[in-house]
Amino acid sequence: MHAFEYHRPSGMKDAVALGEKKSEGRYLAGGQSLVQAMKLRLASPTDLIDLNGIGDLKTLKADGSGVAIGAMVRHAEVAASSAVQKAIPALAALAGIIGDRQVRHMGTIGGSIANNDPAADYPAAVLALGATVATNKRKIEADQFFKGLYETALAPGELISSVSFPAPKRAAYMKFKNPASRFAIVGVFVADFGGKVRVAVTGAGPCVFRQAEMEKALSAKFAPESVASIKVKPEGLNNDLHASPEYRAHLITVMAKRAVEAALK
């Protein structure tokens, strides 16, 4: 790694002040992406602002209306929460299949969506459930949060405090995972809000996105056959050693159908 200064603020106010002062600094959440990039010298922040000492970012609340998750809540905590399992079972299930045990016990929801890896799982839940991302400055709707490859609406120094998810009538997430990393080659999250359906796709493109054709079909009839015949166009989808754009296009339909089937069970 390149040399850097380490800071461990005890409150969000101090963390934000450091973030605004250290223009080339980075917030450190679970470190599952940032630390690895630093080891490879792909990232070289002048300062690391460790958020692990801030208790206000570790709250987890759930009731019949939805779930509110603090930015520093670990994936394993969301997966194990009986309150989340009751309020939004699909969200708990998604958290339980992120990476491996080590990643789930270190990675955080705030770090995941701020990084916005094109193959990450949480962005699909945020977008499909129409979540709201709260920061130290404002509240950002899911449809405005994810901008592109590793790009979000966050301004320099802006810090995520929590993510709030409304509870759907039913939902499910299915992914075709890379067997080594467990990242989604293609993942589809389907959420039914009682006639209004949202479908979010991760892993297939440079950034998580909604699938409008499937949303329209499922809003008319929430059934596997509604999406089974939809042919997704491969243009603009990722092409790498794991899958071609054509294969990813095919997988979107397959995973969407499986997600609807799972949501109906």
Side-chain angles (χ1 to χ4, degrees):
M1 294 184 184
H2 291 283
F4 60 89
E5 293 292 326
Y6 174 80
H7 311 269
R8 190 179 173 91
S10 58
M12 191 166 173
K13 184 178 180 180
D14 291 338
V16 171
L18 281 166
E20 292 176 345
K21 181 180 179 181
K22 309 293 185 179
S23 61
E24 296 299 320
R26 295 283 297 274
Y27 292 123
L28 175 66
Q32 298 307 288
S33 298
L34 177 57
V35 172
Q36 315 313 316
M38 290 173 66
K39 286 181 177 180
L40 295 170
R41 294 197 168 193
L42 297 174
S44 54
T46 58
D47 298 78
L48 277 188
I49 305 165
D50 191 343
L51 306 176
N52 283 276
I54 305 176
D56 291 344
L57 299 180
K58 299 178 181 179
T59 59
L60 175 57
K61 300 177 181 178
D63 55 33
S65 63
V67 174
I69 306 174
M72 288 299 292
V73 174
R74 316 288 177 181
H75 309 324
E77 295 176 74
V78 177
S81 170
S82 58
V84 178
Q85 292 169 7
K86 182 178 180 181
I88 312 179
L91 184 60
L94 177 148
I97 58 173
I98 295 174
D100 52 31
R101 290 182 179 180
Q102 291 89 333
V103 168
R104 291 193 292 273
H105 279 82
M106 286 299 294
T108 66
I109 186 170
S112 175
I113 66 172
N115 187 51
N116 192 22
D117 189 293
D121 298 297
Y122 258 133
V126 173
L127 191 56
L129 290 169
T132 300
V133 180
T135 76
N136 61 302
K137 296 182 177 180
R138 54 183 170 151
K139 293 183 178 180
I140 310 171
E141 299 300 320
D143 287 320
Q144 281 73 53
F145 186 80
F146 303 103
K147 296 297 185 180
L149 183 66
Y150 294 106
E151 182 185 1
T152 70
L154 293 172
E158 190 170 9
L159 178 60
I160 296 172
S161 57
S162 64
V163 186
S164 298
F165 298 85
K169 177 182 178 181
R170 51 196 171 190
Y173 175 66
M174 287 288 164
K175 73 172 175 178
F176 189 82
K177 64 184 180 182
N178 181 308
S181 68
R182 279 85 161 187
F183 271 117
I185 293 176
V186 167
V188 179
F189 198 114
V190 174
D192 179 9
F193 288 90
K196 181 182 179 182
V197 178
R198 293 172 65 100
V199 179
V201 181
T202 188
C207 176
V208 64
F209 62 90
R210 290 173 62 183
Q211 223 296 331
E213 187 178 0
M214 291 182 176
E215 290 181 343
K216 182 179 180 179
L218 290 171
S219 293
K221 181 181 179 182
F222 195 81
E225 57 268 24
S226 296
V227 296
S229 60
I230 292 177
K231 303 293 184 182
V232 178
K233 295 180 180 179
E235 286 76 19
L237 299 185
N238 294 337
N239 183 18
D240 54 33
L241 74 166
H242 303 299
S244 66
E246 291 76 16
Y247 188 46
R248 281 188 162 91
H250 169 70
L251 283 175
I252 291 172
T253 299
V254 174
M255 294 299 112
K257 181 182 176 182
R258 291 181 183 179
V260 174
E261 290 171 345
L264 288 170
K265 290 183 180 177

